[in-house]
Amino acid sequence: MKPPEESFLRVALLGPIRGWNGDREVALGPPKQRAVLGLLASRVNDVVTVDGIIDGVWGSEVPRTAVNGVHTYVAGLRQALEPGRGRRANGALIVSVDGGYSLRADAEHVDALQFERRHAEARRLRSRGDIDAAIRCLGAGLSLWRGTAHAGVPGPFAATDRTRLQDLRLTAIEEWAADLVSVGRHPEAVTVLSDTVAMEPLRERLRELLMLALFLSGRQAHALELYRETRRLLTTELGVEPGVALRRLHEQILAGRAGITPGPRTVPPAPAAPMPGGLPKPRQLPPAVRDFVGRRDELAHLRESLDCDTSGPSSTPAVALITGAPGVGKSELALQLAHGLAESFPDGQLYVDCDGSGLRGRPLGAADALLHVLRSLGVEESAVPADLRGRSALYRSVLAGRRMLVLLDDVCRPEQVRPLIPCGPSGLVSTSRQRLRGLVVRDGAHRIRLDPLPETEAAHLVARLSGGRLTEREEPTARLVRLCGGLPLALRIVAEAVSSEPGLPPTAVVDRYLPERGGLARFTVDGDESAGLRAVLDASYRALPTEAARLFRLLGLYPGATITAPAAAALAGTDTAHVLGQLRTLADNHLLEEAGRHRYRLHHLLALFAAELAQQEPCGEREAALERLFRRGLPTDGHGGRAARPLTPRTSVSRR
């Protein structure tokens, strides 16, 4: 949908953020206001939620006034872009839609999007053999740049998009220079590459092309000196030798043109791994769980998000994030996905257990994860840099141009993931109990939230796991599914018990797991305490901040399945505005589910867990919390007790 002609808008992001309404440049206001425009313009005609804007502009340091700040900045932008608009009228350019805002404009009038389109068009022209047209198209796209993208504006979105666009710009320059060399325009390529190499001295592909352009311009001595400079720089800064392609080109230049002739076929490929002998092809995925059922929609969404199109406008990889409550089957789904996509990532599959839940010790840091990965890729430990930045740079260099799948299981914070996001056509899948909003906003992750299994799929799983003792349609199976609320871990624990005790009727085994027969104490696995439901839930609880953990315990006193923010505030003895932050923390950790505006719902097994934890509160505190609740006259949700109130299964997908 385009705005009316009189509201014609242009936005420039490839430099300081600027805006024009028609031919009139407008003053866009303070830095955060410009940051809001930059985010909306990058997703032109898409709806960006208020939460998405908050995450993109403030990141983890969110003030209490952030929501009002968003509305204020949007109002300021509307006033600047449409000065004749009435104060309370909805704008034609920035419209309010579904709890968020959308900038309505032609994508061709946002310079960053125009640049990406021209880059993609140049690739299509090159693939058809029209190199001259590709050169013109790339030249036009690169001419749109006026400095550093998103210059002068704060926030995680601006920082991440700035890095992404700069990487895409460098890729376009490399392709442009390679095309110039291939048609014999060597001096032009030298001019372009010399300036860019000075700005990006560690990018091997740029230096490789500059060496070739110098040699083909008749400047063999300069090409050899550039190689010596490159080798000194790489060994000093990264502790590695030049890549195979650079070394091969050096040998060819020493031989005096041997093997090098102008033409598109002779432009060297992207640099290979910085170690001799080629890159190993690791196959590190653990086996997928047996009797996997359901999740068709989720798998389809994830496969689509990992469908990297290397001919498209960006060389950035696909990042998929699977989040959900403890025991909901995130790792199972990730492994099922990764095994199914193995052939699409022929250069290997890497797996790292990041232990974000802390079940096996402290979470694995990114530096240690990179050391493990680099060893797997054949890098000698003596060649691995000591610092995180150096390890990440080496890792991306090793994976450059290769199509690998990286699976990071059980992460708890974005910092465990970001240094391992590769470049190029590789893909990354990560699982987490936290929402990790920053990975969606800053790094373009495609997030899918995993919910408990629907009843039919849960019954199918139980029937398959029970060794033939239960069928999908009989009453004990339905009771078991209700008791477990569709949670795969709980379903597997009970189904295994039914299967392993053939001397008892299935009904008798299922009845052991009734809440009145011991609560969560029955949901254990003999000989493997960490696999039990309570251990899994306890790990998430212990990771909570102090105030959120106290609120979760107090929720165990609440008699209903759905609680409102005012009721939670009464239990906690605080005001609604303050308790909303704690409720959001619990929801972000998937210990609560949003059930509407300022309404939240507990899965009934989590409610049992919260009720057990509530007993840790002193008796006087529990009585005071309930007295505050009923003194305020706050009723329950009208549904009565908690029993058999599982979450409604559904799929929630966040796309960049």
Side-chain angles (χ1 to χ4, degrees), residues 28 89 98 512 529 543 656:
L28 296 176
D98 297 333
R512 290 179 185 170
E529 183 178 344
R656 191 169 175 272

Side-chain angles (χ1 to χ4, degrees), residues 620-638:
E621 289 289 328
R622 299 199 302 270
E623 291 177 352
L626 289 172
E627 184 177 348
R628 287 192 299 269
L629 179 68
F630 294 114
R631 187 172 61 243
R632 291 193 187 184
L634 294 167
T636 67
D637 65 342

Side-chain angles (χ1 to χ4, degrees), residues 61-394:
E61 299 178 358
V62 180
R64 290 190 178 184
T65 58
V67 172
N68 288 336
V70 170
H71 298 320
T72 299
Y73 291 140
V74 169
L77 288 170
R78 284 172 167 169
Q79 184 62 30
L81 296 172
E82 300 176 83
R85 183 186 62 89
R87 186 174 181 82
R88 297 184 179 276
N90 199 2
L93 296 176
I94 301 179
V95 299
S96 303
V97 186
D98 297 333
Y101 295 102
S102 176
L103 180 69
R104 299 301 171 87
D106 190 328
E108 278 293 306
H109 297 152
V110 179
D111 61 354
L113 303 180
Q114 186 181 0
F115 166 67
E116 293 189 55
R117 289 190 178 190
R118 293 194 177 186
H119 183 205
E121 177 61 22
R123 286 181 165 182
R124 284 190 287 271
L125 291 166
R126 187 182 302 109
S127 69
R128 296 201 296 263
D130 195 346
I131 304 300
D132 288 332
I135 290 172
R136 290 192 298 272
C137 193
L138 273 178
L142 289 166
S143 70
L144 297 169
W145 284 79
R146 298 167 294 101
T148 302
H150 297 273
V153 300
F157 175 80
T160 301
D161 206 44
R162 184 181 299 127
T163 300
R164 180 187 71 85
L165 287 168
Q166 176 63 6
D167 185 67
L168 187 57
R169 180 189 192 184
L170 293 172
T171 299
I173 290 173
E174 289 168 350
E175 294 172 3
W176 191 37
D179 289 341
L180 290 171
V181 169
S182 73
V183 298
R185 295 165 63 176
H186 311 131
E188 293 177 64
V190 169
T191 301
V192 171
L193 290 165
S194 296
D195 292 340
T196 311
V197 165
M199 293 187 298
E200 295 288 338
L202 294 176
R203 197 161 171 118
E204 285 192 50
R205 176 63 169 158
L206 289 170
R207 289 178 171 267
E208 179 187 344
L209 287 166
L210 181 54
M211 281 175 60
L212 180 59
L214 286 168
F215 175 75
L216 294 175
S217 299
R219 300 168 62 182
Q220 182 179 18
H222 289 93
L224 293 172
E225 175 56 32
L226 178 61
Y227 178 80
R228 287 191 290 270
E229 176 194 316
T230 300
R231 186 174 182 275
R232 283 195 302 270
L233 185 66
L234 291 176
T235 54
T236 301
E237 295 290 329
L238 299 180
V240 298
E241 290 290 328
V244 173
L246 264 176
R247 296 200 304 270
R248 184 184 302 120
L249 178 59
H250 178 237
E251 292 168 0
Q252 292 172 330
I253 292 173
L254 283 172
R257 189 180 284 275
I260 304 178
T261 56
R265 294 180 179 272
T266 64
V267 179
M275 83 280 282
L279 184 69
K281 293 186 177 181
R283 299 287 189 266
Q284 296 184 344
L285 296 176
V289 68
R290 75 179 182 94
D291 297 316
F292 181 88
V293 301
R295 309 297 196 194
R296 290 184 180 179
D297 290 344
E298 292 90 339
L299 282 169
H301 283 302
L302 290 164
R303 289 192 186 105
E304 181 183 355
S305 71
L306 289 167
D307 183 16
C308 309
D309 181 6
T310 56
S311 66
S314 175
S315 62
T316 54
V319 179
L321 174 61
I322 304 170
T323 68
V328 81
K330 300 178 293 295
S331 297
E332 295 175 9
L333 179 64
L335 285 172
Q336 194 75 17
L337 172 74
H339 281 287
L341 290 176
E343 291 186 3
S344 299
F345 294 90
D347 293 319
Q349 301 87 45
L350 294 161
Y351 174 84
V352 181
D353 182 356
C354 297
D355 196 20
S357 60
L359 285 169
R360 291 168 294 282
R362 68 178 182 86
L364 186 71
D368 291 334
L370 282 165
L371 177 61
H372 163 78
V373 167
L374 287 168
R375 285 172 177 165
S376 303
L377 293 171
V379 179
E380 294 292 335
E381 189 165 347
S382 59
V384 176
D387 63 299
L388 175 61
R389 183 175 296 180
R391 290 182 181 184
S392 182
L394 178 57

Side-chain angles (χ1 to χ4, degrees), residues 512-552:
R512 290 179 185 170
Y513 294 87
L514 292 170
E516 60 269 22
R517 297 283 186 90
L520 296 181
R522 295 286 188 180
F523 289 88
T524 57
V525 179
D526 291 340
D528 191 353
E529 183 178 344
S530 65
L533 184 59
R534 178 181 280 157
V536 170
L537 297 179
D538 192 59
S540 287
Y541 164 71
R542 292 185 181 280
L544 292 172
T546 302
E547 284 191 333
R550 176 177 176 267
L551 177 61
F552 185 72

Side-chain angles (χ1 to χ4, degrees), residues 309-485:
D309 181 6
T310 56
S311 66
S314 175
S315 62
T316 54
V319 179
L321 174 61
I322 304 170
T323 68
V328 81
K330 300 178 293 295
S331 297
E332 295 175 9
L333 179 64
L335 285 172
Q336 194 75 17
L337 172 74
H339 281 287
L341 290 176
E343 291 186 3
S344 299
F345 294 90
D347 293 319
Q349 301 87 45
L350 294 161
Y351 174 84
V352 181
D353 182 356
C354 297
D355 196 20
S357 60
L359 285 169
R360 291 168 294 282
R362 68 178 182 86
L364 186 71
D368 291 334
L370 282 165
L371 177 61
H372 163 78
V373 167
L374 287 168
R375 285 172 177 165
S376 303
L377 293 171
V379 179
E380 294 292 335
E381 189 165 347
S382 59
V384 176
D387 63 299
L388 175 61
R389 183 175 296 180
R391 290 182 181 184
S392 182
L394 178 57
Y395 161 77
R396 286 169 176 150
S397 296
V398 171
L399 262 61
R402 293 175 171 84
R403 191 161 170 80
M404 281 194 175
L405 183 64
V406 183
L407 174 52
L408 303 181
D409 199 12
D410 190 17
V411 304
C412 61
R413 54 185 184 271
E415 291 75 18
Q416 288 178 290
V417 180
R418 286 195 179 107
L420 284 102
I421 297 177
C423 292
S426 293
L428 185 143
V429 179
S430 185
T431 70
S432 180
R433 299 181 181 193
Q434 287 79 34
R435 284 184 179 171
L436 303 185
R437 297 170 183 266
L439 285 180
V440 177
V441 173
R442 290 183 54 180
D443 305 285
H446 298 251
R447 183 178 60 202
I448 184 168
R449 190 190 73 197
L450 204 59
D451 288 318
L453 288 169
E455 288 188 4
T456 54
E457 293 180 0
H460 185 49
L461 176 64
V462 167
R464 293 179 64 173
L465 293 174
S466 66
R469 303 198 66 214
L470 290 170
T471 63
E472 294 183 37
R473 299 185 180 279
E474 59 184 325
E475 195 276 336
T477 302
R479 184 138 48 98
L480 191 161
V481 168
R482 289 195 298 272
L483 283 172
C484 298

